Amino acid sequence: QVQLVESGGGLVQAGGSLRLSCAASGSIFSINAMAWYRQAPGKQRELVAGITSAGRTNYAGSVKGRFTISRDNAENTVYLQMNSLKPEDTAVYYCSADLIRVGGSIQYRYWGQGTQVTVSS
């Protein structure tokens, strides 16, 4: 079994900061890309930021310069530091991991359960 467990969401005022964490555990052989997505009410899930196993990052234009994605490969954990938060950042945030399980050969994408981020104006 593989689990992705997120933490760090909550309620914050506009201009504030939050740090999300997502830890992958279980029968994991290797993890390639990890990412954060978000889904606001009535909207489609969108990519917020991604990071490869080598540390290359990419960001949605709406968060570039405000959010920073990082990872700890030894701990199978990905982080999202969110600064200068805006009300439009309000959403459920999901982490994902593209990984190969122990004994497997095919890469699959696994998802966390989501954590709510609410930014008040």
Side-chain angles (χ1 to χ4, degrees):
Q1 293 282 9
V2 172
Q3 265 193 315
L4 272 63
V5 179
E6 297 133 339
S7 60
L11 173 64
V12 65
Q13 286 189 329
S17 298
L18 284 174
R19 189 188 194 216
L20 305 183
S21 300
C22 172
S25 63
S27 302
I28 298 170
F29 175 72
S30 66
I31 301 178
N32 295 315
M34 301 184 82
W36 288 95
Y37 289 76
R38 67 187 181 187
Q39 187 167 19
K43 294 189 175 181
Q44 288 191 329
R45 188 174 298 190
E46 62 174 356
L47 176 67
V48 175
I51 185 167
T52 69
S53 57
R56 288 192 301 272
T57 60
N58 63 287
Y59 295 92
S62 59
V63 307
K64 199 171 291 186
R66 301 187 296 122
F67 291 10
T68 302
I69 189 171
S70 61
R71 65 190 282 175
D72 182 336
N73 290 332
E75 298 292 331
N76 289 340
T77 300
V78 63
Y79 304 96
L80 185 68
Q81 178 66 44
M82 304 185 293
N83 299 328
S84 302
L85 282 160
K86 304 175 181 180
E88 51 263 43
D89 294 318
T90 295
V92 177
Y93 284 70
Y94 299 89
C95 69
S96 72
D98 296 340
L99 63 86
I100 299 174
R101 294 180 59 177
V102 171
S105 59
I106 299 173
Q107 179 174 280
Y108 291 99
R109 177 163 294 174
Y110 288 79
W111 294 90
Q113 81 285 357
T115 186
Q116 177 70 46
V117 171
T118 303
V119 184
S120 63
S121 57

